[in-house]
Amino acid sequence: GIKVAANYHRKNGIGAFHSPLHTFIDRSFLPTLPEADVLSGVGEMMKAAVIHDRKLFDVLERAGPEMVRTKFAEGPDAEEAIR
């Protein structure tokens, strides 16, 4: 499964360890992130893609550097990656 947790009194003290049915993303927030946080998120996306989603893996492999540069804020590849 996928870990969705927060540190509270200990590492991952609150959370769940299963894939969510839906994820909602406010894309207007992404350009405000430091590049290091965007790269960290891409690492998490790659883990999920390797395990669950070949199509996402292909998009990240093809357009990953451009999506990081734009912080996933524009373009059809970013739209496909954040679906």
Side-chain angles (χ1 to χ4, degrees), residues 3-17:
K3 178 180 75 170
V4 184
N7 296 337
Y8 183 76
H9 294 295
R10 62 184 167 84
K11 185 171 173 69
N12 301 323
I14 299 173
F17 295 88

Side-chain angles (χ1 to χ4, degrees), residues 4 6 9 18 20 26 29 41 48 74:
V4 184
H9 294 295
H18 57 83
D26 180 358
F29 172 73
E74 57 190 56

Side-chain angles (χ1 to χ4, degrees), residues 16-42:
F17 295 88
H18 57 83
S19 297
L21 296 176
H22 301 282
T23 302
F24 299 95
I25 299 171
D26 180 358
R27 290 178 66 179
S28 68
F29 172 73
L30 296 175
T32 70
L33 295 174
E35 186 173 317
D37 290 343
V38 174
L39 291 171
S40 178
V42 170

Side-chain angles (χ1 to χ4, degrees), residues 1-3 23 25 27 30 33 35-83:
I2 295 175
K3 178 180 75 170
T23 302
I25 299 171
R27 290 178 66 179
L30 296 175
L33 295 174
E35 186 173 317
D37 290 343
V38 174
L39 291 171
S40 178
V42 170
E44 295 298 321
M45 291 173 73
M46 286 300 294
K47 286 194 298 187
V50 166
I51 294 168
H52 297 290
D53 192 339
R54 175 60 193 233
K55 200 169 166 185
L56 175 58
F57 180 88
D58 292 342
V59 171
L60 292 171
E61 184 177 42
R62 176 181 71 247
E66 179 63 15
M67 290 189 293
V68 168
R69 187 188 70 71
T70 64
K71 297 184 179 179
F72 289 81
E74 57 190 56
D77 291 316
E79 187 70 37
E80 186 174 350
I82 303 175
R83 53 176 160 65

